[in-house]
């Protein structure tokens, strides 16, 4: 199971980080060779990723990385708006000094759109930023939902960033949101996170509408 868990974590990361692009065909043997693991753990990992919706089975051919559709993007970002707006409302007045210090440092982090490693690091920092706020809500189930939605939207945003860079805007948005939360302006903070998620949705939608993600 340790090998299966390792295979799952590595393959899942390859999909979310767009090392394996949406709609890309893959085979069990190809992943075995790529990860230098046996067939059994790789097969188990791929089964789990099919259940998770990140891989699709293609009869007699192997697997395909699940495509990103405009409907999927809309669905995930709509859920993010519901969950993260609620998390922000509950988090106002509940951030610890440690939370605030870390959030302030994360506000200063951007990315270089020509450097995939920089994008991957930014997406991890972005997830941490929103995760800290969600956990401060005091609602564990809500925080877990926000984390899952951030994971699911990671590859959407990765592709959007490659085609529509907005590093400066992202830093400015994080700083503005944190400022309103610290000022305990709940209504303004809630509107800001709603608008910021909508901006990300539009960025991803525009990118997908004008380009084939497999060519990025």
């Amino acid at each position: 199971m340790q090998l299966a868990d390792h295979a799952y974590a590595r393959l899942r990361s390859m999909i979310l980080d767009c090392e394996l692009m949406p709609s890309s065909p893959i085979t069990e043997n190809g992943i075995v060779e790529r990860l230098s693991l046996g067939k059994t753990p790789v097969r188990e990992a791929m089964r789990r990723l099919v259940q998770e919706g990140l891989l699709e089975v293609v009869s007699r051919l192997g697997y395909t990385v699940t495509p990103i559709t405009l409907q999927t993007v809309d669905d995930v970002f709509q859920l993010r708006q519901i969950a993260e707006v609620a998390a922000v409302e509950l988090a106002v007045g509940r951030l610890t000094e440690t939370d605030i210090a870390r959030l302030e440092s994360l506000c200063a982090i951007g990315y270089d759109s020509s450097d995939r490693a920089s994008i991957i690091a930014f997406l991890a920092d972005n997830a941490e930023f929103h995760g800290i706020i969600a956990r401060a809500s005091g609602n564990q189930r809500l925080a877990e939902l926000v984390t899952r939605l951030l994971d699911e939207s990671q590859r959407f945003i990765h592709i959007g960033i490659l085609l529509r860079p907005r590093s400066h805007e992202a830093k400015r948005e994080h700083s503005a949101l944190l400022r309103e939360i610290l000022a305990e302006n709940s209504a303004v903070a809630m509107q800001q996170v709603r608008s910021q998620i909508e901006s990300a949705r539009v960025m991803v939608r525009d990118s997908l509408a004008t380009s084939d993600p497999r060519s990025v």
Side-chain angles (χ1 to χ4, degrees):
M1 286 304 297
Q2 287 182 335
L3 288 175
D5 289 343
H6 173 72
Y8 166 78
R10 181 69 184 95
L11 186 52
R12 187 175 188 273
S13 176
M14 290 165 68
I15 293 171
L16 294 180
D17 293 340
C18 292
E19 187 177 339
L20 294 173
M21 295 297 290
S23 301
S24 298
I26 62 174
T27 64
E28 183 180 293
N29 288 338
I31 297 301
V32 165
E33 182 177 349
R34 194 160 180 171
L35 299 184
S36 299
L37 291 171
K39 284 191 174 183
T40 299
V42 167
R43 186 176 298 123
E44 172 61 19
M46 297 177 94
R47 183 190 66 79
R48 289 170 63 181
L49 289 165
V50 168
Q51 292 180 334
E52 196 172 324
L54 290 174
L55 286 180
E56 295 180 352
V57 178
V58 180
S59 180
R60 296 187 298 278
L61 295 177
Y63 299 83
T64 296
V65 178
T66 301
I68 295 174
T69 67
L70 295 178
Q71 185 61 58
T72 301
V73 170
D74 287 344
D75 289 348
V76 171
F77 279 99
Q78 184 180 60
L79 282 173
R80 278 191 59 185
Q81 282 198 342
I82 294 168
E84 291 185 52
V85 168
V88 164
E89 181 180 21
L90 293 171
V92 169
R94 303 186 64 165
L95 291 171
T96 67
E97 291 185 4
T98 301
D99 289 338
I100 294 168
R102 182 57 180 157
L103 288 168
E104 287 176 341
S105 67
L106 290 169
C107 284
I109 297 174
Y111 58 86
D112 178 355
S113 60
S114 65
D115 180 356
R116 286 201 183 232
S118 173
I119 293 173
I120 291 169
F122 169 78
L123 289 172
D125 292 332
N126 179 67
E128 182 183 358
F129 179 89
H130 292 286
I132 290 171
I133 294 171
R135 287 190 295 276
S137 72
N139 186 318
Q140 183 177 345
R141 290 180 182 273
L142 178 59
E144 290 172 352
L145 174 59
V146 169
T147 297
R148 287 198 300 273
L149 291 170
L150 287 166
D151 274 353
E152 192 167 354
S153 63
Q154 180 174 324
R155 66 188 187 128
F156 308 168
I157 298 173
H158 190 125
I159 290 170
I161 284 173
L162 288 171
L163 298 168
R164 299 284 190 279
R166 56 190 306 276
S167 177
H168 295 302
E169 292 92 331
K171 289 192 290 185
R172 185 167 60 247
E173 287 173 353
H174 283 168
S175 295
L177 176 58
L178 179 59
R179 184 168 58 249
E180 297 303 332
I181 291 175
L182 294 180
E184 300 191 7
N185 293 328
S186 296
V188 177
M190 291 163 66
Q191 181 55 46
Q192 283 194 345
V193 76
R194 187 180 291 111
S195 298
Q196 290 169 16
I197 292 171
E198 175 62 13
S199 293
R201 185 189 72 86
V202 170
M203 173 190 70
V204 173
R205 251 187 156 273
D206 287 350
S207 299
L208 292 176
T210 57
S211 302
D212 180 353
R214 289 171 297 181
S215 68
V216 174

Coordinates of all heavy atoms in Angstrom, one line a residue, residues 110-186:
G110 N 4.4 36.1 -5.9 CA 3.9 36.0 -7.2 C 4.5 34.9 -8.0 O 4.9 33.9 -7.4
Y111 N 4.6 35.0 -9.3 CA 5.1 33.9 -10.1 C 5.7 34.4 -11.4 O 5.3 35.5 -11.8 CB 4.1 32.8 -10.4 CG 2.8 33.3 -11.1 CD1 2.8 33.4 -12.5 CD2 1.7 33.7 -10.4 CE1 1.7 33.9 -13.1 CE2 0.6 34.2 -11.0 CZ 0.6 34.3 -12.4 OH -0.5 34.8 -13.0
D112 N 6.5 33.6 -12.0 CA 7.0 33.9 -13.4 C 6.3 33.0 -14.3 O 6.4 31.8 -14.2 CB 8.5 33.7 -13.4 CG 9.1 33.9 -14.8 OD1 8.4 34.2 -15.7 OD2 10.4 33.8 -14.9
S113 N 5.4 33.5 -15.2 CA 4.6 32.7 -16.1 C 5.4 31.9 -17.1 O 4.9 31.0 -17.7 CB 3.6 33.6 -16.8 OG 4.2 34.5 -17.6
S114 N 6.7 32.2 -17.2 CA 7.6 31.4 -18.1 C 8.3 30.3 -17.4 O 9.0 29.5 -18.1 CB 8.6 32.4 -18.8 OG 9.5 32.8 -17.8
D115 N 8.1 30.2 -16.1 CA 8.7 29.2 -15.3 C 7.7 28.3 -14.6 O 7.0 28.7 -13.7 CB 9.6 29.9 -14.3 CG 10.4 28.9 -13.4 OD1 10.2 27.7 -13.5 OD2 11.2 29.4 -12.6
R116 N 7.5 27.1 -15.1 CA 6.5 26.2 -14.5 C 6.7 25.9 -13.1 O 5.7 25.8 -12.3 CB 6.4 24.9 -15.3 CG 5.7 25.0 -16.7 CD 5.2 23.7 -17.2 NE 4.7 23.9 -18.5 CZ 3.4 23.5 -18.9 NH1 2.7 22.9 -18.0 NH2 3.0 23.6 -20.1
A117 N 8.0 25.8 -12.7 CA 8.2 25.5 -11.2 C 7.7 26.7 -10.4 O 7.2 26.5 -9.3 CB 9.7 25.3 -11.0
S118 N 7.9 27.9 -10.9 CA 7.4 29.1 -10.2 C 5.9 29.1 -10.1 O 5.3 29.4 -9.1 CB 7.9 30.4 -10.9 OG 7.3 31.5 -10.4
I119 N 5.2 28.7 -11.2 CA 3.7 28.6 -11.2 C 3.3 27.5 -10.2 O 2.3 27.8 -9.4 CB 3.2 28.2 -12.6 CG1 3.5 29.4 -13.5 CG2 1.7 27.9 -12.5 CD1 3.2 29.1 -15.0
I120 N 3.9 26.4 -10.2 CA 3.5 25.3 -9.2 C 3.7 25.8 -7.8 O 2.9 25.5 -6.9 CB 4.4 24.0 -9.5 CG1 4.0 23.4 -10.9 CG2 4.2 23.0 -8.4 CD1 4.9 22.3 -11.4
A121 N 4.8 26.5 -7.5 CA 5.1 27.0 -6.2 C 4.0 28.0 -5.8 O 3.5 28.0 -4.6 CB 6.5 27.6 -6.1
F122 N 3.6 28.9 -6.7 CA 2.6 29.9 -6.4 C 1.3 29.2 -6.1 O 0.6 29.7 -5.2 CB 2.5 30.8 -7.6 CG 1.3 31.7 -7.5 CD1 1.3 32.8 -6.7 CD2 0.1 31.4 -8.2 CE1 0.1 33.6 -6.5 CE2 -1.0 32.2 -8.1 CZ -1.0 33.3 -7.2
L123 N 0.9 28.2 -6.9 CA -0.4 27.6 -6.7 C -0.4 26.9 -5.3 O -1.5 26.9 -4.7 CB -0.6 26.5 -7.8 CG -0.9 27.1 -9.2 CD1 -1.0 26.1 -10.2 CD2 -2.3 27.9 -9.2
A124 N 0.7 26.4 -4.9 CA 0.7 25.8 -3.5 C 0.6 26.9 -2.5 O -0.2 26.7 -1.5 CB 2.0 25.0 -3.3
D125 N 1.2 28.0 -2.7 CA 1.1 29.2 -1.8 C -0.3 29.7 -1.8 O -0.8 30.1 -0.7 CB 2.1 30.2 -2.1 CG 3.6 29.8 -1.9 OD1 3.8 28.9 -1.0 OD2 4.5 30.3 -2.6
N126 N -0.9 29.8 -3.0 CA -2.2 30.3 -3.1 C -3.2 29.4 -2.3 O -4.1 29.9 -1.6 CB -2.6 30.4 -4.6 CG -4.1 30.9 -4.8 OD1 -4.4 32.0 -4.5 ND2 -4.9 30.0 -5.3
A127 N -3.0 28.1 -2.4 CA -3.9 27.2 -1.7 C -3.7 27.3 -0.2 O -4.7 27.2 0.6 CB -3.6 25.7 -2.2
E128 N -2.5 27.5 0.2 CA -2.2 27.7 1.6 C -2.9 29.0 2.1 O -3.4 29.0 3.2 CB -0.7 27.8 1.9 CG -0.4 27.9 3.4 CD 1.1 28.1 3.7 OE1 2.0 28.0 2.7 OE2 1.5 28.3 4.8
F129 N -2.8 30.1 1.4 CA -3.4 31.3 1.8 C -4.9 31.1 2.0 O -5.4 31.5 3.1 CB -3.2 32.4 0.6 CG -3.8 33.7 0.9 CD1 -3.1 34.7 1.6 CD2 -5.1 34.0 0.5 CE1 -3.7 36.0 1.8 CE2 -5.7 35.2 0.7 CZ -4.9 36.2 1.4
H130 N -5.6 30.6 1.1 CA -7.0 30.4 1.2 C -7.4 29.3 2.3 O -8.4 29.4 3.0 CB -7.7 30.1 -0.1 CG -7.6 31.2 -1.1 ND1 -8.5 32.3 -1.0 CD2 -6.9 31.4 -2.2 CE1 -8.2 33.1 -1.9 NE2 -7.2 32.6 -2.7
G131 N -6.5 28.3 2.4 CA -6.7 27.3 3.4 C -6.6 27.8 4.8 O -7.3 27.4 5.7
I132 N -5.6 28.7 5.1 CA -5.5 29.3 6.4 C -6.8 30.1 6.8 O -7.3 29.9 7.9 CB -4.3 30.3 6.4 CG1 -3.0 29.5 6.4 CG2 -4.3 31.2 7.7 CD1 -1.7 30.4 6.2
I133 N -7.3 30.8 5.9 CA -8.5 31.6 6.1 C -9.7 30.6 6.4 O -10.5 30.8 7.3 CB -8.9 32.5 4.9 CG1 -7.8 33.6 4.8 CG2 -10.3 33.1 5.1 CD1 -7.9 34.4 3.6
A134 N -9.8 29.5 5.6 CA -10.8 28.6 5.7 C -10.8 27.9 7.1 O -11.8 27.7 7.8 CB -10.8 27.5 4.6
R135 N -9.6 27.5 7.5 CA -9.4 26.8 8.8 C -9.8 27.8 10.0 O -10.3 27.4 11.0 CB -8.0 26.3 9.0 CG -7.8 25.0 8.1 CD -6.5 24.4 8.5 NE -5.3 25.2 8.2 CZ -4.7 25.3 7.0 NH1 -5.2 24.6 5.9 NH2 -3.7 26.1 6.8
A136 N -9.5 29.1 9.8 CA -9.8 30.1 10.8 C -11.3 30.2 11.0 O -11.8 30.8 12.0 CB -9.2 31.4 10.5
S137 N -12.1 29.7 10.0 CA -13.6 29.8 10.2 C -14.0 29.0 11.4 O -15.1 29.2 11.9 CB -14.2 29.2 8.9 OG -14.1 27.8 8.8
G138 N -13.2 28.0 11.8 CA -13.7 27.1 12.9 C -14.5 26.0 12.5 O -14.9 25.2 13.3
N139 N -14.9 25.9 11.2 CA -15.7 24.8 10.7 C -14.8 23.9 9.9 O -14.4 24.2 8.8 CB -16.8 25.4 9.8 CG -17.8 24.4 9.3 OD1 -17.5 23.3 9.0 ND2 -19.1 24.8 9.4
Q140 N -14.5 22.7 10.5 CA -13.6 21.8 9.9 C -14.1 21.3 8.5 O -13.3 21.1 7.6 CB -13.3 20.6 10.8 CG -12.3 19.6 10.3 CD -12.0 18.5 11.2 OE1 -12.3 18.6 12.4 NE2 -11.3 17.5 10.7
R141 N -15.4 20.9 8.5 CA -15.9 20.4 7.2 C -15.9 21.5 6.1 O -15.6 21.1 4.9 CB -17.4 20.0 7.4 CG -17.5 18.7 8.3 CD -19.0 18.3 8.4 NE -19.1 17.1 9.3 CZ -19.0 15.9 8.9 NH1 -18.8 15.6 7.6 NH2 -19.1 14.8 9.7
L142 N -16.1 22.7 6.4 CA -16.0 23.8 5.5 C -14.6 23.9 5.0 O -14.4 24.1 3.8 CB -16.5 25.1 6.1 CG -16.5 26.3 5.2 CD1 -17.3 26.1 3.9 CD2 -17.0 27.6 5.9
A143 N -13.7 23.9 5.9 CA -12.2 24.0 5.5 C -11.8 22.8 4.6 O -11.1 23.0 3.7 CB -11.4 24.0 6.8
E144 N -12.3 21.6 4.9 CA -12.0 20.5 4.1 C -12.6 20.6 2.7 O -11.9 20.3 1.7 CB -12.5 19.2 4.7 CG -11.7 18.8 6.0 CD -12.3 17.7 6.7 OE1 -13.5 17.3 6.4 OE2 -11.7 17.2 7.7
L145 N -13.8 21.2 2.6 CA -14.4 21.4 1.3 C -13.6 22.4 0.5 O -13.4 22.3 -0.7 CB -15.9 21.9 1.5 CG -16.6 22.3 0.2 CD1 -16.7 21.2 -0.8 CD2 -18.0 22.8 0.6
V146 N -13.2 23.5 1.1 CA -12.4 24.5 0.4 C -11.1 23.9 -0.1 O -10.7 24.2 -1.2 CB -12.1 25.7 1.4 CG1 -11.0 26.6 0.8 CG2 -13.4 26.5 1.7
T147 N -10.5 23.1 0.7 CA -9.2 22.5 0.3 C -9.5 21.6 -0.9 O -8.7 21.6 -1.9 CB -8.6 21.6 1.4 OG1 -8.3 22.5 2.5 CG2 -7.4 20.9 1.0
R148 N -10.5 20.8 -0.9 CA -10.8 19.9 -2.1 C -11.1 20.7 -3.3 O -10.6 20.4 -4.4 CB -12.0 19.0 -1.8 CG -11.7 17.9 -0.8 CD -12.8 16.8 -0.8 NE -14.1 17.3 -0.5 CZ -14.6 17.4 0.7 NH1 -13.9 17.0 1.7 NH2 -15.9 17.8 0.9
L149 N -11.8 21.8 -3.2 CA -12.1 22.6 -4.4 C -10.9 23.3 -4.9 O -10.7 23.5 -6.1 CB -13.2 23.7 -4.0 CG -14.6 23.1 -3.7 CD1 -15.5 24.1 -3.2 CD2 -15.2 22.5 -5.0
L150 N -10.0 23.8 -4.0 CA -8.7 24.4 -4.4 C -7.9 23.3 -5.2 O -7.3 23.7 -6.2 CB -8.0 24.9 -3.2 CG -8.5 26.2 -2.6 CD1 -7.9 26.4 -1.2 CD2 -8.3 27.4 -3.5
D151 N -7.9 22.1 -4.7 CA -7.2 21.0 -5.4 C -7.7 20.9 -6.8 O -7.0 20.8 -7.8 CB -7.3 19.7 -4.6 CG -6.2 19.6 -3.6 OD1 -5.3 20.4 -3.5 OD2 -6.3 18.6 -2.8
E152 N -9.1 20.8 -6.9 CA -9.7 20.5 -8.1 C -9.5 21.7 -9.1 O -9.4 21.4 -10.3 CB -11.2 20.3 -7.9 CG -11.9 19.7 -9.2 CD -13.3 19.2 -8.9 OE1 -13.7 19.1 -7.7 OE2 -14.0 18.8 -9.8
S153 N -9.4 22.9 -8.7 CA -9.3 24.0 -9.6 C -7.8 24.3 -9.9 O -7.5 25.1 -10.7 CB -9.9 25.3 -9.0 OG -9.3 25.7 -7.8
Q154 N -6.9 23.6 -9.3 CA -5.5 23.9 -9.4 C -5.0 23.7 -10.9 O -4.3 24.6 -11.4 CB -4.6 22.9 -8.6 CG -3.1 23.1 -8.7 CD -2.3 22.3 -7.8 OE1 -2.7 22.1 -6.6 NE2 -1.2 21.8 -8.2
R155 N -5.4 22.7 -11.6 CA -5.0 22.5 -13.0 C -5.7 23.5 -13.9 O -5.1 23.9 -14.9 CB -5.1 21.1 -13.4 CG -6.5 20.6 -13.6 CD -6.5 19.1 -13.9 NE -7.8 18.6 -14.1 CZ -8.1 17.9 -15.2 NH1 -7.2 17.6 -16.1 NH2 -9.4 17.5 -15.4
F156 N -6.9 23.9 -13.5 CA -7.6 24.9 -14.3 C -6.8 26.2 -14.3 O -6.5 26.9 -15.3 CB -9.0 25.3 -13.8 CG -9.9 24.1 -13.6 CD1 -11.1 24.3 -12.8 CD2 -9.6 22.9 -14.1 CE1 -12.0 23.3 -12.6 CE2 -10.5 21.8 -13.9 CZ -11.7 22.0 -13.1
I157 N -6.4 26.6 -13.1 CA -5.7 27.9 -12.9 C -4.3 27.8 -13.5 O -3.8 28.8 -14.1 CB -5.6 28.2 -11.4 CG1 -7.0 28.4 -10.8 CG2 -4.8 29.5 -11.2 CD1 -7.1 28.6 -9.3
H158 N -3.7 26.7 -13.4 CA -2.3 26.5 -14.0 C -2.4 26.8 -15.5 O -1.6 27.6 -16.0 CB -1.9 25.0 -13.8 CG -0.4 24.8 -14.2 ND1 0.5 24.3 -13.3 CD2 0.3 25.1 -15.3 CE1 1.7 24.2 -13.9 NE2 1.6 24.7 -15.1
I159 N -3.4 26.3 -16.2 CA -3.5 26.5 -17.6 C -3.8 28.0 -17.9 O -3.3 28.6 -18.8 CB -4.6 25.6 -18.2 CG1 -4.0 24.2 -18.2 CG2 -4.9 26.0 -19.6 CD1 -5.1 23.1 -18.6
G160 N -4.7 28.5 -17.0 CA -5.1 29.9 -17.2 C -3.9 30.9 -17.0 O -3.7 31.8 -17.8
I161 N -3.0 30.5 -16.0 CA -1.8 31.3 -15.8 C -0.9 31.3 -17.0 O -0.2 32.3 -17.4 CB -1.1 30.9 -14.5 CG1 -1.9 31.4 -13.3 CG2 0.4 31.3 -14.5 CD1 -1.3 30.8 -12.0
L162 N -0.7 30.1 -17.6 CA 0.2 29.9 -18.7 C -0.2 30.8 -19.9 O 0.6 31.3 -20.6 CB 0.2 28.5 -19.2 CG 1.0 27.5 -18.3 CD1 0.8 26.1 -18.7 CD2 2.5 27.8 -18.2
L163 N -1.5 31.0 -20.0 CA -2.1 31.7 -21.2 C -2.5 33.2 -20.9 O -2.5 34.0 -21.8 CB -3.3 31.0 -21.8 CG -2.9 29.6 -22.3 CD1 -4.2 28.8 -22.6 CD2 -2.1 29.7 -23.6
R164 N -2.8 33.4 -19.6 CA -3.2 34.8 -19.2 C -2.5 35.2 -17.9 O -3.2 35.2 -16.8 CB -4.7 34.8 -19.0 CG -5.6 34.5 -20.3 CD -5.6 35.7 -21.2 NE -6.5 35.5 -22.3 CZ -6.3 34.7 -23.4 NH1 -5.1 34.1 -23.5 NH2 -7.2 34.6 -24.3
P165 N -1.3 35.5 -17.9 CA -0.5 35.8 -16.6 C -1.2 37.0 -15.9 O -1.6 37.9 -16.5 CB 0.9 36.1 -17.1 CG 1.0 35.5 -18.5 CD -0.4 35.6 -19.1
R166 N -1.2 36.8 -14.6 CA -1.8 37.9 -13.7 C -1.2 37.9 -12.3 O -1.9 38.0 -11.3 CB -3.3 37.9 -13.7 CG -3.9 36.6 -13.2 CD -5.4 36.5 -13.4 NE -6.2 37.6 -12.9 CZ -6.5 37.7 -11.6 NH1 -6.2 36.7 -10.7 NH2 -7.3 38.7 -11.2
S167 N 0.1 37.8 -12.3 CA 0.8 37.7 -11.0 C 0.6 38.9 -10.2 O 0.3 38.8 -9.0 CB 2.3 37.5 -11.2 OG 3.0 37.4 -10.0
H168 N 0.8 40.1 -10.7 CA 0.6 41.3 -9.9 C -0.8 41.5 -9.4 O -1.0 41.9 -8.2 CB 1.0 42.6 -10.8 CG 2.4 42.6 -11.2 ND1 3.4 42.6 -10.3 CD2 3.0 42.6 -12.4 CE1 4.6 42.6 -10.9 NE2 4.4 42.7 -12.2
E169 N -1.8 41.1 -10.2 CA -3.2 41.2 -9.8 C -3.4 40.2 -8.6 O -4.1 40.6 -7.7 CB -4.1 40.9 -10.9 CG -4.2 41.9 -12.0 CD -3.2 41.6 -13.1 OE1 -2.1 41.0 -12.9 OE2 -3.5 42.0 -14.3
A170 N -2.9 39.0 -8.7 CA -3.0 38.0 -7.6 C -2.5 38.5 -6.3 O -3.1 38.4 -5.2 CB -2.4 36.7 -8.0
K171 N -1.3 39.1 -6.3 CA -0.7 39.7 -5.1 C -1.6 40.8 -4.5 O -1.8 40.9 -3.3 CB 0.7 40.1 -5.4 CG 1.7 39.0 -5.6 CD 3.2 39.5 -5.6 CE 3.5 40.4 -6.8 NZ 5.0 40.7 -6.8
R172 N -2.0 41.7 -5.4 CA -2.9 42.8 -5.0 C -4.2 42.3 -4.4 O -4.6 42.8 -3.4 CB -3.1 43.7 -6.2 CG -3.9 45.0 -5.8 CD -3.8 46.0 -6.9 NE -4.4 45.5 -8.1 CZ -3.7 45.3 -9.2 NH1 -2.4 45.5 -9.3 NH2 -4.4 44.8 -10.3
E173 N -4.8 41.3 -5.0 CA -6.0 40.7 -4.5 C -5.9 40.1 -3.1 O -6.7 40.3 -2.2 CB -6.6 39.7 -5.5 CG -7.1 40.3 -6.8 CD -7.5 39.3 -7.8 OE1 -7.2 38.1 -7.6 OE2 -8.0 39.7 -8.9
H174 N -4.8 39.3 -2.9 CA -4.6 38.7 -1.6 C -4.4 39.8 -0.5 O -4.9 39.7 0.6 CB -3.3 37.8 -1.7 CG -3.6 36.5 -2.3 ND1 -2.5 35.7 -2.7 CD2 -4.7 35.9 -2.7 CE1 -3.1 34.6 -3.3 NE2 -4.4 34.7 -3.3
S175 N -3.6 40.8 -0.9 CA -3.4 41.9 0.1 C -4.6 42.6 0.5 O -4.9 42.9 1.6 CB -2.3 42.9 -0.4 OG -1.1 42.3 -0.6
A176 N -5.5 42.9 -0.5 CA -6.7 43.6 -0.3 C -7.7 42.8 0.5 O -8.3 43.3 1.5 CB -7.4 44.0 -1.6
L177 N -7.7 41.5 0.3 CA -8.6 40.6 1.0 C -8.2 40.5 2.5 O -9.0 40.7 3.4 CB -8.6 39.2 0.4 CG -9.5 38.1 1.2 CD1 -10.9 38.6 1.3 CD2 -9.4 36.8 0.5
L178 N -6.9 40.3 2.7 CA -6.4 40.3 4.1 C -6.6 41.6 4.8 O -7.0 41.6 6.0 CB -4.9 39.9 4.1 CG -4.2 39.8 5.4 CD1 -4.9 38.8 6.3 CD2 -2.7 39.5 5.3
R179 N -6.5 42.7 4.2 CA -6.7 44.0 4.8 C -8.1 44.1 5.3 O -8.3 44.6 6.4 CB -6.3 45.1 3.8 CG -6.4 46.5 4.4 CD -5.8 47.5 3.4 NE -6.4 47.5 2.1 CZ -5.8 47.1 1.0 NH1 -4.5 46.6 1.1 NH2 -6.4 47.1 -0.2
E180 N -9.1 43.7 4.5 CA -10.5 43.9 4.9 C -10.8 42.9 6.0 O -11.6 43.2 6.9 CB -11.4 43.7 3.7 CG -11.2 44.7 2.6 CD -11.4 46.1 3.1 OE1 -12.1 46.4 4.1 OE2 -10.8 47.0 2.5
I181 N -10.2 41.7 6.0 CA -10.5 40.7 7.0 C -10.0 41.2 8.4 O -10.6 41.2 9.4 CB -9.9 39.3 6.7 CG1 -10.6 38.7 5.5 CG2 -9.9 38.4 7.9 CD1 -9.9 37.4 5.0
L182 N -8.8 41.8 8.3 CA -8.2 42.3 9.6 C -8.9 43.6 10.1 O -9.0 43.8 11.3 CB -6.7 42.7 9.3 CG -5.8 41.5 9.0 CD1 -4.3 42.0 8.8 CD2 -5.8 40.4 10.1
A183 N -9.5 44.3 9.2 CA -10.3 45.5 9.6 C -11.7 45.1 10.0 O -12.5 45.9 10.5 CB -10.4 46.5 8.4
E184 N -12.0 43.8 9.9 CA -13.3 43.2 10.3 C -14.4 43.8 9.5 O -15.6 43.9 10.0 CB -13.5 43.3 11.8 CG -12.5 42.5 12.6 CD -12.8 42.4 14.1 OE1 -13.9 42.8 14.5 OE2 -11.9 41.9 14.8
N185 N -14.1 44.1 8.2 CA -15.2 44.5 7.3 C -15.7 43.3 6.5 O -15.3 43.0 5.4 CB -14.6 45.5 6.3 CG -14.1 46.8 6.9 OD1 -14.8 47.3 7.9 ND2 -13.1 47.5 6.4
S186 N -16.6 42.6 7.2 CA -17.0 41.3 6.7 C -17.7 41.4 5.3 O -17.3 40.6 4.4 CB -18.1 40.7 7.7 OG -17.5 40.4 8.9

